[in-house]
Amino acid sequence: MMDPFLQANRELWQHWTRINYASKTYDVDGFKRGDNRLDAVVREGVGDVRGKSLLHLQCHFGLDTLCWARLGARVTGMDFSDEAIRTARTLAQETGIAANFVCCNLYDLPQHLTGEFDIVFTSHGVLSWLPDLRAWGKIVAQFLKPGGLFFIAEAHPTAYIFDDDAENDLRVRYRYFPSSSPDLFEVHGSYADPTNEFRGVEYAWTHSLAEIVGALLSAGLRVADLREYPFNAWQMFKFMEKDADGWWCLPDRFPQIPLMFSLKANKE
Ligand SMILES: C[S@@+](CC[C@H](N)C(=O)[O-])C[C@H]1O[C@@H](n2cnc3c(N)ncnc32)[C@H](O)[C@@H]1O
């Protein structure tokens, strides 16, 4: 039986999949025409994927997964929303891209998938949905080949402490350090289309940078690279500005703070 908080989040993602699929942010038509939507940080961080097996954790409806396949990887994507996985499979069929998609709770993946991968990848908006990062680290390690690469690019835990309702300033509103119970947020529309009329709730867990790194170390992985960036992949605050490369930044009047991080780890 799935945890009731995760069940509620899965319900939310069923709705968000439909909204996001139709949104300009995801630009599915552009993807179908051949656009590759993987950003420069993940492209550079993961490197050459040709001929490699790649497992994409929390793949949503598979756009990034299929983009890795276009670059030559043999891909498997996993997500707990059956709406997302159904959409991912349809997209793979429509575009003629070979891909395997698995629908399950991340924590149940060992019951649904076997094997080890050259690369385990996850990115942009994944960790706050997970209650237990130690268990997440073990899943990452279990599905990685010896010598394999784990890569994550994600919003920086520091950025999550600020009030996301504020109109024009950074105001500390949320704790930095993890707690065992999630926070409840009311949701209007989706992050990809805030104008949508949908109303729902989400449960989110706070994770600190030390907790994230510690989860991977305690699973036996070696952290090879950790970087921080003064921009993020999505708009976290109303007053952020998009730069020429498509990253969301704070206006110049703010001192630079970390808004995103990337991390590489290896299984030895
Ligand atoms: C923000 S999306 C991933 C974003 C991806 N980078 C993208 O833009 O396509 C987060 C994904 O995590 C999935 N998810 C959340 N909790 C999960 C869980 N416990 N097990 C598996 N998937 C989960 C959601 O269904 C959603 O598709």
Side-chain angles (χ1 to χ4, degrees), residues 13 26 58 60 64 79-80 104-106 123-125 129 191:
W13 280 104
Y26 276 87
Q58 296 173 254
H60 199 24
D64 287 358
D79 201 282
F80 74 169
C104 69
N105 182 3
L106 177 125
S123 75
H124 302 316
W129 306 102
Y191 59 93

Side-chain angles (χ1 to χ4, degrees), residues 36 38-57 64-65 67-69 71-75 117-124 144 147-154 224-225 227 229 261-266:
N36 199 307
L38 294 167
D39 61 70
V41 168
V42 306
R43 285 279 287 268
E44 197 252 305
V46 173
D48 187 358
V49 297
R50 279 172 300 176
K52 295 187 179 160
S53 55
L54 183 148
L55 170 63
H56 184 183
L57 301 176
D64 287 358
T65 326
C67 287
W68 286 121
L71 293 173
R74 286 175 285 114
V75 298
F117 294 78
D118 297 310
I119 300 162
V120 176
F121 168 78
T122 194
S123 75
H124 302 316
L144 209 49
L149 168 75
F150 170 64
F151 182 86
I152 178 169
E154 175 62 298
D225 189 49
R227 298 182 191 195
Y229 308 85
F261 75 95
S262 68
L263 182 152
K264 288 187 204 182
N266 302 112

